[in-house]
Amino acid sequence: MPKPSASKATGKTRRFISGVVEGFYGRPWTMEQRTELFQREKKWGLNTYLYAPKDDYKHRMYWRDLYSPEEAEKLVALITAAKKNGVDFIYAISPGLDITFSNPKEVATLKRKLDQVSGFGCSSFSLLFDDIETEMCPADKQAFSSFAHAQVAVTNEVFTHLGQPDTFLFCPTDYCAAFCTPNVSQSAYLHTVGENLLPGIDVLWTGPKVVSHHITVESIVEVSSVLKRAPVIWDNIHANDYDPQRIFMGPYKDRPTDLIPKLRGVLTNPNCEYHPNFVAIHTLATWCRSEGGRVGGQRDVEMSGDDDEAGSDPCYSPKRALTLALTDWLQEFLSTDQPGGPRPLNPTHLKKESSDEEPMQTDVGDPVYVPSSGDNPLFTAEPLTLDDLQLLSELFYLPYEHGSTARTMLTELDWLKAHREAVGDAETEMTAEWRSRAKCFDVMCVAVFTMFNRLSNAPNRSILYDLYNYICDIKSGVTLARAYVKQLGGQSRPSAQVMTDDPEPWGFRGGLSGEFQRMLPCHGNRDLFRHPPMTSVYSIRPFCPEDKTEIQKIHMEMQRGEAKAPAAALPALISDGLAGGQLSPSPNCGLVLEDERGVCGYALGLTDATAAALNNQRTLPGDFPSLVTMQLHPRVTDPAPARRMIGSLLSLMKTSGSRGVLCELRQGDRRMFDFYSKLGSFTTLKMAGLPQDVVAMGTSL
């Protein structure tokens, strides 16, 4: 396990924080599940549980309310159970929704609430200010110079009031790099926290993003320098509260064990469903143990070796950690947790009891049915295997990647669909390959069905019920894909589920949310599996007069998209004349973007736009005499070809003698405004005569 560290504030040795945070949005875990969690943590070498369920209303929404005697009794039992298993129970409270930081009564109320929990036997605490509005009320604006100063002042006061506990965590509002303005090293908020938060208080951090794909040593060194302390990672890599259709059962990964000496601790905030978190928590524990061999101790588990990823961690293999976790989890699946599981094949161990009352109709003592030679054989539930759980994990892997089997299935389906013309009357080499790959795809589909059936008959029903919606969903999707491939191969009649205009509800996904997503032009571009090449093939060529009609169509369509009123009500732009065909671009200053369907974008320029500006009652800034306009059809969702096109146009205009260009944008055109803003070279300009709802941006050449 990681070596303990010494506190700079007290000189005391503090152990590396490792464990679980119950910090998701959704139904909180039960007291029984939490008690079982403590036992698992003890068994696996983890030491911490952070109590922070967002939907416990006295934790967040009604944080001022004290616990009732009944609630207090449950918390006392929970804290006692944690101590019994050597787990540090950290009680978190989240007052940021509506606290007035400058009101002494509010701070006194917060202290009273934490004093009550302290009376339950809790000695570790956390103040959370995540996911809240950053605008201070008028009273706080008068009392504090910034939101960070307000949070730090209250946190320090509460920490001191509680006697400066050995474990006290603070969750900032800017809890990941993506929230920092302009970045981590220059964040005024984080610098205020680092400089003013008492040194005995630790800071929670999720990494580069809320759900971080990778967390690097360099990023932790950077934030530690600003915070003036090593952070505790609140890791959302297995969290699924943001999408009810996803669950994650892949291993803890993409966090090198070199991080461990740089951190104060790691807490995983896993899936909302309790039982499927076995893998997330088990593999985190393996990750924590694996570091021991590199800091002078003996590793508990040999993890180095031939993991299937380039640049793999010499001390930790996600693949092997996953196998260890699934092997242990299989034993839990095979244990009967409650009445109602699959019945024994020979239930003769039960006996009838004598009674004067009419006996209940049961099968106790009934003879075992033995089918005759011509009858259907008895159904026998096949036992769940480690391979089944491996497949389950690979189908529900991690937020940023599918497991290997899922990737293979997607790749094969994509290939079979793309080469469906190969299936014809004549037998060719390509036809043979198609049929061979279709057969392999079918075998993988059957493996999913087998896994589903074995899971459905597993004795431990509690685990099954947490998984059931997810495995039903994947079974349905695979069933449709299998039917489609069989149809392509001529092995069955066209499937009604695939082809009909009036399918059964299970023949399509999504409900209202799915329909919203499918109507958006960018739907699907964040799929983990992307058809290679990742985007359509685009070509950029010079503008010619014959392109005017297509350019006008795109221009008018985008205007209709901007307009919340008739197009005539939109403020006029100088560039409307270019896109509308009334003005021609300067020689060699026009480009057109094409895809397989035709013209899908344009970039046009005027090297001297003075006259055009005067016609629109504008005065151009002296350093920006030239004008550019660019627009893309909604079907273009990849920004890369747009960046290439505008870059090429600016180069052409510089060659033509321009020293600076500007563009005009209506405020309703958020798409292009965001595009120019993210280029980095265009900045907002002041321009005489500019209509109220028009923004000018420019760049020097």
Side-chain angles (χ1 to χ4, degrees):
M1 294 298 291
K3 285 185 175 181
S5 61
S7 167
K8 294 181 180 179
T10 64
K12 295 180 181 178
T13 298
R14 301 195 298 173
R15 62 182 178 177
F16 183 86
I17 294 172
S18 62
V20 179
V21 49
E22 184 181 347
F24 50 80
Y25 292 87
R27 177 184 296 176
W29 296 334
T30 66
M31 293 296 178
E32 292 75 16
Q33 289 171 336
R34 292 163 179 156
T35 301
E36 181 182 70
L37 172 64
F38 301 153
Q39 295 167 354
R40 288 180 176 176
E41 288 195 89
K42 178 182 180 181
K43 179 179 179 180
W44 298 338
L46 301 174
N47 58 41
T48 301
Y49 166 77
L50 176 58
Y51 177 87
K54 294 292 191 293
D55 287 336
D56 176 346
Y57 70 97
K58 289 188 177 179
H59 155 76
R60 186 172 174 88
M61 189 175 297
Y62 298 107
W63 60 270
R64 298 175 181 84
D65 293 358
L66 296 177
Y67 289 105
S68 67
E70 295 78 11
E71 293 166 334
E73 183 179 354
K74 291 180 179 179
L75 276 174
V76 168
L78 202 61
I79 293 167
T80 302
K83 289 182 178 178
K84 180 180 177 181
N85 288 280
V87 173
D88 186 16
F89 183 101
I90 304 176
Y91 177 83
I93 191 166
S94 186
L97 288 176
D98 60 0
I99 188 173
T100 300
F101 293 92
S102 57
N103 189 333
K105 292 182 179 179
E106 290 276 80
V107 180
T109 298
L110 181 58
K111 292 176 182 177
R112 182 183 66 163
K113 178 68 169 285
L114 295 178
D115 283 340
Q116 183 195 29
V117 178
S118 178
F120 300 160
C122 181
S123 58
S124 299
F125 299 91
S126 179
L127 278 183
L128 308 182
F129 295 106
D130 57 320
D131 302 340
I132 60 175
E133 294 295 329
T134 58
E135 183 68 21
M136 290 193 292
C137 66
D140 287 343
K141 286 181 179 179
Q142 289 186 348
F144 299 105
S145 58
S146 72
F147 198 40
H149 283 95
Q151 292 178 359
V152 167
V154 169
T155 302
N156 285 343
E157 184 172 343
V158 170
F159 175 64
T160 303
H161 170 78
L162 291 171
Q164 300 195 4
D166 289 340
T167 302
F168 193 98
L169 307 181
F170 167 82
C171 183
T173 304
D174 293 357
Y175 55 79
C176 65
F179 289 177
C180 296
T181 304
N183 51 48
V184 171
S185 62
Q186 296 176 289
S187 167
Y189 177 94
L190 288 188
H191 275 286
T192 299
V193 170
E195 292 164 4
N196 295 280
L197 199 66
L198 290 174
I201 302 172
D202 293 306
V203 179
L204 292 162
W205 184 252
T206 66
K209 300 167 65 177
V210 178
V211 181
S212 294
H213 188 178
H214 301 273
I215 300 179
T216 65
V217 171
E218 293 76 17
S219 71
I220 294 302
V221 169
E222 179 184 35
V223 73
S224 298
S225 175
V226 176
L227 294 175
K228 302 187 185 307
R229 69 204 77 201
V232 176
I233 295 297
W234 171 313
D235 208 325
N236 290 317
I237 193 62
H238 286 95
N240 72 335
D241 54 356
Y242 53 85
D243 188 345
Q245 293 181 314
R246 286 192 271 181
I247 194 167
F248 303 113
M249 290 177 279
Y252 192 73
K253 67 188 297 281
D254 296 318
R255 285 96 172 102
T257 51
D258 288 336
L259 281 172
I260 295 177
K262 308 291 185 183
L263 296 172
R264 174 75 176 91
V266 178
L267 298 171
T268 179
N269 178 40
N271 299 285
C272 300
E273 297 84 358
Y274 169 74
H275 291 286
N277 289 320
F278 193 99
V279 171
I281 301 169
H282 193 292
T283 56
L284 171 65
T286 303
W287 182 85
C288 290
R289 292 198 304 273
S290 68
E291 195 267 348
R294 278 166 45 263
V295 294
Q298 180 64 40
R299 286 196 295 272
D300 296 286
V301 182
E302 180 57 49
M303 279 285 115
S304 60
D306 56 347
D307 205 44
D308 58 358
E309 298 178 11
S312 59
D313 193 318
C315 294
Y316 174 75
S317 163
K319 185 176 180 180
R320 294 187 181 183
L322 178 62
T323 300
L324 288 173
L326 295 177
T327 301
D328 287 351
W329 200 20
L330 179 62
Q331 301 310 308
E332 293 209 359
F333 267 102
L334 300 179
S335 63
T336 303
D337 65 321
Q338 61 187 44
R343 72 174 190 170
L345 291 179
N346 296 295
T348 56
H349 61 285
L350 300 174
K351 296 182 179 179
K352 292 182 179 178
E353 295 183 2
S354 61
S355 172
D356 294 334
E357 299 179 2
E358 184 70 18
M360 178 184 290
Q361 294 295 313
T362 70
D363 63 356
V364 177
D366 290 346
V368 176
Y369 171 73
V370 179
S372 301
S373 59
D375 296 340
N376 279 326
L378 285 176
F379 172 79
T380 302
E382 295 182 359
L384 192 67
T385 68
L386 182 60
D387 286 342
D388 293 322
L389 292 189
Q390 189 76 44
L391 176 58
L392 177 70
S393 171
E394 291 179 356
L395 297 179
F396 300 97
Y397 203 62
L398 289 170
Y400 293 99
E401 62 179 308
H402 296 304
S404 60
T405 300
R407 292 197 302 270
T408 300
M409 293 184 75
L410 289 167
T411 301
E412 290 304 297
L413 178 59
D414 182 69
W415 189 91
L416 292 167
K417 180 182 175 183
H419 296 83
R420 55 187 178 273
E421 295 84 2
V423 185
D425 295 331
E427 286 294 324
T428 64
E429 185 175 337
M430 178 62 77
T431 302
E433 180 182 1
W434 195 98
R435 297 201 181 281
S436 174
R437 294 177 75 157
K439 184 177 181 179
C440 292
F441 181 76
D442 195 72
V443 169
M444 289 186 283
C445 292
V446 171
V448 174
F449 304 149
T450 301
M451 175 207 69
F452 175 87
N453 291 332
R454 290 173 177 171
L455 279 171
S456 299
N457 290 289
N460 194 315
R461 312 308 283 173
S462 294
I463 304 178
L464 171 67
Y465 297 151
D466 273 357
L467 291 170
Y468 197 72
N469 286 343
Y470 299 102
I471 62 175
C472 281
D473 186 65
I474 193 63
K475 179 192 175 189
S476 176
V478 170
T479 299
L480 291 172
R482 186 191 190 206
Y484 175 68
V485 171
K486 284 183 175 293
Q487 173 197 324
L488 292 180
Q491 296 173 265
S492 63
R493 291 185 304 145
S495 169
Q497 290 181 334
V498 175
M499 302 300 293
T500 182
D501 291 330
D502 184 25
E504 292 279 4
W506 59 78
F508 54 90
R509 299 264 72 80
L512 180 60
S513 175
E515 292 194 36
F516 277 131
Q517 292 180 36
R518 285 189 288 275
M519 290 179 70
L520 303 177
C522 61
H523 176 65
N525 72 351
R526 298 309 303 165
D527 287 347
L528 300 185
F529 176 82
R530 299 184 176 93
H531 186 288
M534 290 170 54
T535 63
S536 299
V537 176
Y538 297 99
S539 62
I540 300 172
R541 62 169 175 79
F543 164 85
C544 60
E546 290 77 13
D547 295 320
K548 285 186 177 182
T549 300
E550 292 301 318
I551 289 175
Q552 288 172 2
K553 288 180 181 178
I554 296 173
H555 174 62
M556 294 303 296
E557 182 169 351
M558 299 311 295
Q559 276 195 323
R560 286 194 298 270
E562 292 176 51
K564 297 179 181 178
L570 291 172
L573 305 181
I574 304 174
S575 57
D576 287 344
L578 271 175
Q582 294 84 16
L583 295 173
S584 296
S586 298
N588 300 319
C589 291
L591 297 171
V592 169
L593 183 70
E594 287 184 316
D595 61 9
E596 67 277 3
R597 293 165 61 181
V599 175
C600 57
Y602 59 85
L604 309 174
L606 285 174
T607 54
D608 185 358
T610 305
L614 289 175
N615 289 337
N616 285 269
Q617 300 180 339
R618 311 268 215 281
T619 301
L620 298 177
D623 293 333
F624 302 94
S626 304
L627 176 74
V628 296
T629 182
M630 188 181 79
Q631 195 54 268
L632 304 171
H633 192 277
R635 69 176 182 263
V636 180
T637 59
D638 185 354
R643 286 196 294 265
R644 290 199 301 271
M645 186 163 62
I646 193 65
S648 298
L649 178 61
L650 295 179
S651 178
L652 290 170
M653 296 190 73
K654 183 177 181 179
T655 302
S656 298
S658 176
R659 64 179 184 275
V661 303
L662 63 81
C663 63
E664 290 185 334
L665 303 168
R666 298 183 183 90
Q667 289 187 351
D669 190 0
R670 297 301 307 176
R671 186 183 191 218
M672 295 311 300
F673 184 80
D674 289 344
F675 172 79
Y676 281 110
S677 298
K678 291 177 180 177
L679 283 177
S681 56
F682 279 79
T683 58
T684 304
L685 302 177
K686 292 183 179 180
M687 194 165 107
L690 205 63
Q692 182 177 356
D693 294 330
V694 174
V695 177
M697 302 185 74
T699 183
S700 299
L701 299 179

